[in-house]
Amino acid sequence: MSHIGVFDSGLGGLTGYRALRELLPQEDLIYFGDNARVPYGTKSREVICRYALQDTRFLLSRDVRAVLVACGTVSSNALELLQERFDVPFVGVVSPAAEAAVRIASAKNGRILVLGTAATVSSGAYEKAIRALDRSVRVASVACPLFVPLAENGHTEKGDIAATAIAEKYLRPYTDFCADAVILGCTHFPLLSDIIADVLPAPVLVSAGAESARAMAELARSQGFAQGSGTDAFFTSDDPVSFAENASRFLGRPLGAAVSKIDIETY
Ligand code: DGL
């Protein structure tokens, strides 16, 4: 088996894919975005688990030997299920992001703010991972579901009126919390970094996608994965043209590879 597979509910996981490509330029990577069914973060755990199983079955049908779950919602609600059901290694976003944030917060005032989808926040997965590393850290979590459609639809420029108003509503109540680190616990959120930093100016922003890519790169190196030829392959469950148009904002570069449409309900 030759590829590393990466999936998300939509385009957000490309923030992890981008970091992984930089860390492992020779690996062959496959990305699946479930754009037809995004968002996952407003759905029940049962539905999130069903979608996660289908997404993984699709990747495994494509010659994948390890999976980066580049979705905070799936990582928080279904990672253990995937690890039980399938025989390949999985890396999720929660533990790597928690480790990075604890390193920062433990050296300062011990405060971490977690931003995620509703399903991520209600799972309590980030708090659990943080407390397992350092019980003295204070954690607050806030669900920011509207950040997902804002990021998918390009409302990410500093000063964007809609995004700024929504960020103010979600985050203004947490300015007094004085977080040392803010975990962008949904992989869509790094696109809104400038807008988030305008409301919460001081803390370090931790990208869950980028941290998970580092963990996957370590796994790949420790397991001595064979190097490929650095190919990219992109799959979506919705319109490939719109995927290609929007994906370059998340990747920070043109896609450089074709996008194929698949019917995820058949997996
Ligand atoms: N990128 C997903 C996450 O990290 C997306 C959110 C969603 O589908 O609601 O949670």
Side-chain angles (χ1 to χ4, degrees):
M1 291 200 274
S2 53
H3 300 85
I4 296 177
V6 181
F7 77 88
D8 180 39
S9 57
L11 299 167
L14 291 169
T15 58
Y17 189 98
R18 172 184 184 166
L20 192 62
R21 171 50 75 222
E22 279 163 19
L23 291 164
L24 299 174
Q26 296 302 317
E27 289 289 342
D28 295 326
L29 306 181
I30 291 185
Y31 185 86
F32 172 63
D34 195 3
N35 301 75
R37 304 190 295 193
V38 69
Y40 283 10
T42 53
K43 302 202 165 62
S44 66
R45 182 183 288 257
E46 188 191 339
V47 170
I48 295 164
C49 287
R50 181 160 63 80
Y51 288 179
L53 290 168
Q54 289 179 311
D55 301 345
T56 304
R57 276 188 218 111
F58 163 67
L59 286 175
L60 296 184
S61 75
R62 295 273 161 170
D63 219 15
V64 156
R65 64 177 162 217
V67 177
L68 178 61
V69 181
C71 176
T73 305
V74 173
S75 299
S76 302
N77 287 277
L79 187 63
E80 283 172 16
L81 173 72
L82 298 178
Q83 286 167 332
E84 273 163 32
R85 291 284 181 93
F86 301 101
D87 214 14
V88 293
F90 287 86
V91 172
V93 301
V94 174
S95 297
E99 280 166 26
V102 166
R103 270 197 303 277
I104 295 161
S106 300
K108 293 186 170 174
N109 300 311
R111 285 170 184 240
I112 297 174
L113 180 62
V114 179
L115 313 186
T117 65
T120 294
V121 168
S122 63
S123 77
Y126 278 103
E127 284 92 328
K128 203 171 148 204
I130 291 165
R131 295 233 160 80
L133 294 164
D134 185 343
R135 290 200 68 76
S136 70
V137 169
R138 275 192 63 191
V139 189
S141 301
V142 51
C144 307
L146 293 174
F147 282 174
V148 177
L150 287 170
E152 291 264 328
N153 293 292
H155 290 277
T156 55
E157 290 293 311
K158 197 175 167 67
D160 181 279
I161 294 171
T164 303
I166 290 165
E168 289 276 350
K169 180 158 174 51
Y170 287 147
L171 305 179
R172 187 61 68 197
Y174 294 89
T175 49
D176 290 346
F177 181 71
C178 298
D180 306 303
V182 173
I183 296 182
L184 305 179
C186 166
T187 51
H188 282 74
F189 294 0
L191 270 85
L192 292 151
S193 291
D194 288 345
I195 287 160
I196 293 167
D198 272 349
V199 187
L200 299 172
V204 179
L205 302 181
V206 175
S207 160
E211 295 304 328
S212 66
R214 268 191 268 281
M216 176 56 92
E218 260 170 47
L219 177 82
R221 288 187 191 117
S222 73
Q223 303 222 335
F225 283 5
Q227 302 260 302
S229 37
T231 59
D232 295 304
F234 299 99
F235 294 87
T236 175
S237 52
D238 203 349
D239 178 25
V241 175
S242 123
F243 182 99
E245 277 169 12
N246 291 309
S248 54
R249 286 187 291 108
F250 286 78
L251 273 186
R253 62 169 169 87
L255 235 52
V259 184
S260 308
K261 182 177 175 182
I262 58 133
D263 180 359
I264 193 63
E265 293 293 357
T266 62
Y267 287 89

